[in-house]
Amino acid sequence: MDLELENKAVLVTGGSNGLGRALCHRLVAEGAAVAFCGRDPERIEETRAALEAEGGQVLAVAADVTEHADLARLLEGTLERFGRLDGLVNNAGRGAARPLLELTDADWDEDLALKLAAATRLCSLGLEALSRQGGSIVNVLAIGGKTPGSGSMPSSVSRAAGLALTKALSKEAGPTGVRVNAVMIGLVESGQWERRAAAAGTSLDALYEDMARGSGIPLGRVGRAEEFADLVAFLLSPRAGYVSGAAINLDGGLCAVV
Ligand SMILES: NC(=O)c1ccc[n+]([C@@H]2O[C@H](COP(=O)([O-])OP(=O)(O)OC[C@H]3O[C@@H](n4cnc5c(N)ncnc54)[C@H](OP(=O)(O)O)[C@@H]3O)[C@@H](O)[C@H]2O)c1
């Protein structure tokens, strides 16, 4: 299926590693221009070089999404370089799950700033450019936002707020031709798990097997980053032209609700 993404411009936060990076590769393969950010300059440079080696039109920006000025610079740079914005993927994030009594005010502030405030701010900044020719926003969330469990805060709370943002904004932005959807991740291979395996001195395959077994994923394995990229590329594309306000699970059947 031709996703009709050729020469479209997509901005991906946290595109320098893991799921975001897999998405950038997929978008380049589809002929889209890609702007991405991250904080670590080495990872950014490595990703930029890999994408350009595949023939991609790429803008790589060192930016912390929790900094207002960085977000504005990221969006301005994207528009300056590509002259348009067709897709925005709020993907930057990390795991954060502990019992309430172990969390400090700073933990809450940090998580909400990274997972909620950054996404709302970037949506505000990008909406006008997206509406010029119609566009698509994808918020990358986690299934804990639908089924918050014991010891799952602050992430499950931030992600539930991301769900509300997705639905509310889909109603507001729909009349301007902008679709807004969320992808609810279960457990998917990515950089964060590579770092965890290295820190624990265990093999990545063993970690993924343990995760699949321990969490009881019905499909019996963790997801692949390319499967994430396929789904998000579809949601960004005109092929998903009538899909808006949806929160799609990418979890091998793990989530207890649809
Ligand atoms: N993989 C899973 O199983 C899973 C499960 C549930 C939810 N998710 C969500 O999916 C998204 C992608 O996760 P991942 O697994 O691909 O993680 P990852 O491999 O750790 O990649 C995260 C990316 O986000 C960037 N990032 C983190 N904080 C940032 C900040 N403040 N400003 C700018 N960039 C930032 C990282 O680069 P720098 O560190 O260099 O900034 C990196 O490029 C996250 O929102 C995560 O919470 C993933």
Side-chain angles (χ1 to χ4, degrees), residues 14-20 37-40 43 63-66 91-95 114 140-142 159 185-188 190-193 195:
S16 59
N17 200 7
L19 304 184
C37 76
R39 293 162 304 172
D40 181 80
R43 271 195 215 141
D64 182 336
V65 296
T66 64
N91 166 73
R94 64 180 158 77
L114 175 61
V140 179
L141 307 176
R159 294 323 195 173
I185 311 285
L187 292 169
V188 181
S190 75
Q192 64 168 301
W193 304 119
R195 293 192 297 279

Side-chain angles (χ1 to χ4, degrees), residues 96-100 103 148-156:
R98 290 208 302 281
L100 177 69
L103 292 168
S150 171
S152 70
M153 293 183 275
S155 196
S156 56

Side-chain angles (χ1 to χ4, degrees), residues 96 111 115 142 144-149 151-161:
D111 203 64
K115 294 175 184 161
K146 284 185 179 179
T147 55
S152 70
M153 293 183 275
S155 196
S156 56
V157 175
S158 309
R159 294 323 195 173

Side-chain angles (χ1 to χ4, degrees), residues 22-254:
L23 174 62
C24 290
H25 279 284
R26 178 62 201 263
L27 292 170
V28 161
E30 294 293 331
V34 177
F36 73 90
C37 76
R39 293 162 304 172
D40 181 80
E42 242 173 71
R43 271 195 215 141
I44 293 169
E45 185 48 31
E46 198 206 314
T47 303
R48 183 193 63 74
L51 293 170
E52 285 184 351
E54 290 169 9
Q57 302 175 68
V58 180
L59 176 69
V61 180
D64 182 336
V65 296
T66 64
E67 297 288 337
H68 302 203
D70 283 14
L71 283 182
R73 182 167 52 82
L74 177 62
L75 185 73
E76 279 160 22
T78 305
L79 292 174
E80 204 170 290
R81 171 74 186 273
F82 301 128
R84 58 187 292 153
L85 184 68
D86 302 277
L88 169 60
V89 183
N90 287 303
N91 166 73
R94 64 180 158 77
R98 290 208 302 281
L100 177 69
L101 296 183
E102 289 179 16
L103 292 168
T104 64
D105 286 353
D107 293 328
W108 280 102
D109 289 348
E110 212 175 284
D111 203 64
L112 288 162
L114 175 61
K115 294 175 184 161
L116 182 62
T120 53
R121 199 165 286 129
L122 199 50
C123 287
S124 304
L125 289 170
L127 213 46
E128 192 274 324
L130 286 164
S131 67
R132 281 181 214 158
Q133 68 288 307
S136 169
I137 295 173
V138 177
N139 293 320
V140 179
L141 307 176
I143 54 171
K146 284 185 179 179
T147 55
S150 171
S152 70
M153 293 183 275
S155 196
S156 56
V157 175
S158 309
R159 294 323 195 173
L163 270 177
L165 165 69
T166 301
K167 183 55 96 177
L169 189 57
S170 72
K171 306 257 183 209
E172 270 182 43
T176 70
V178 177
R179 297 179 294 106
V180 189
N181 292 291
V183 172
M184 315 301 291
I185 311 285
L187 292 169
V188 181
E189 295 175 2
S190 75
Q192 64 168 301
W193 304 119
E194 286 168 21
R195 293 192 297 279
R196 184 171 297 193
T202 181
S203 84
L204 197 50
D205 285 347
L207 176 69
Y208 288 146
E209 266 173 41
D210 278 359
M211 284 161 59
R213 217 183 2 256
S215 56
I217 298 170
L219 288 184
R221 64 171 176 83
V222 301
R224 299 183 191 103
E226 293 71 24
E227 291 169 325
F228 166 85
D230 285 344
L231 174 58
V232 178
F234 171 71
L235 289 173
L236 289 169
S237 80
R239 296 298 185 151
Y242 203 54
V243 182
S244 193
I248 300 173
N249 297 344
L250 184 83
D251 67 345
L254 179 60

